[in-house]
């Protein structure tokens, strides 16, 4: 048949559930299972690129958030942890580690003398600029087997799914 494809790991799991619980419509399990499996496999590939620069995903995320904020690559810690959807305690720990590596520094907030801002150091800026270029190249390689039409269709579906999931947050 022209539409046949090789079985994947999710097919096997769904087949087991269909056998064990035939009264359940487990079709959503296939879609969500593939999304979760893709996310895990994608993260491995992304992590491999981050490791080339001596960082993990969380370090990349903090540095990239500061970098994409634009000159002077500086944000309040609350803006950082809100953008990254982590707790303030987690952010404090991460910033301490990045400060120890001289990738970020805390500087006085010119609009509020009681607070500090987090800013990329020149070394942090240089590192994230190299890492983000490699990251984007890696993403292109990962997605290269898909045609432009397939990518557009995938993106459209994911946009719709995010619209359903994000309001629940």
């Amino acid at each position: 048949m022209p539409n046949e494809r090789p079985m994947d790991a999710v097919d096997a799991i769904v087949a087991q559930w269909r056998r064990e619980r035939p009264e359940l419509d487990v079709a959503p399990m296939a879609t969500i299972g593939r999304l979760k499996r893709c996310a895990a496999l994608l993260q491995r590939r992304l992590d491999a690129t981050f490791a080339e620069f001596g960082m993990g995903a969380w370090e990349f995320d903090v540095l990239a958030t500061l970098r994409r904020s634009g000159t002077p690559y500086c944000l309040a810690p609350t803006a950082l942890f809100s953008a990254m959807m982590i707790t303030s305690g987690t952010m404090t720990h991460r910033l301490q580690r990045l400060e120890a590596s001289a990738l970020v520094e805390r500087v006085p907030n010119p609009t509020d003398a009681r607070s500090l801002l987090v800013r990329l150091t020149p070394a942090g800026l240089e590192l994230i600029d190299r890492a983000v270029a490699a990251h984007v190249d890696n993403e292109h390689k990962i997605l290269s087997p898909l045609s432009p039409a397939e990518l557009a269709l995938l993106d459209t579906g994911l946009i719709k799914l995010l619209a359903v999931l994000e309001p629940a947050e």
Side-chain angles (χ1 to χ4, degrees):
M1 294 176 82
N3 290 335
E4 283 194 30
R5 60 170 176 75
M7 297 248 324
D8 61 29
V10 175
D11 288 321
I13 293 167
V14 170
Q16 289 171 329
W17 279 116
R18 285 187 174 134
R19 182 190 69 231
E20 294 299 315
R21 296 292 308 271
E23 77 281 8
L24 294 178
D25 175 9
V26 295
M29 236 184 228
T31 303
I32 292 173
R34 284 190 182 91
L35 280 170
K36 288 175 65 177
R37 189 159 170 80
C38 283
L41 294 169
L42 282 169
Q43 195 60 56
R44 284 186 202 163
R45 291 200 187 177
L46 299 178
D47 288 345
T49 296
F50 302 147
E52 292 174 19
F53 296 90
M55 67 175 93
W58 72 264
E59 291 151 314
F60 179 88
D61 287 345
V62 173
L63 298 178
T65 300
L66 288 167
R67 176 62 174 95
R68 71 176 185 260
S69 73
T71 304
Y73 316 118
C74 194
L75 290 171
T78 52
L80 262 175
F81 73 74
S82 295
M84 298 177 64
M85 297 183 289
I86 59 174
T87 67
S88 62
T90 299
M91 180 55 66
T92 298
H93 176 71
R94 290 179 178 184
L95 292 178
Q96 288 169 343
R97 288 185 56 190
L98 290 169
E99 276 184 298
S101 299
L103 298 173
V104 301
E105 60 189 351
R106 294 178 207 237
V107 296
N109 185 339
T111 62
D112 182 0
R114 299 167 296 148
S115 67
L116 296 172
L117 299 174
V118 179
R119 180 173 63 197
L120 283 176
T121 63
L125 178 60
E126 187 272 332
L127 177 63
I128 194 59
D129 277 348
R130 286 187 304 115
V132 79
H135 173 63
V136 170
D137 184 52
N138 186 35
E139 290 180 324
H140 278 284
K141 286 177 187 166
I142 291 168
L143 297 175
S144 67
L146 301 177
S147 72
E150 290 169 326
L151 284 171
L153 190 59
L154 176 60
D155 203 40
T156 298
L158 291 172
I159 288 166
K160 288 179 181 180
L161 182 59
L162 275 175
V164 170
L165 296 174
E166 284 184 331
E169 288 296 312

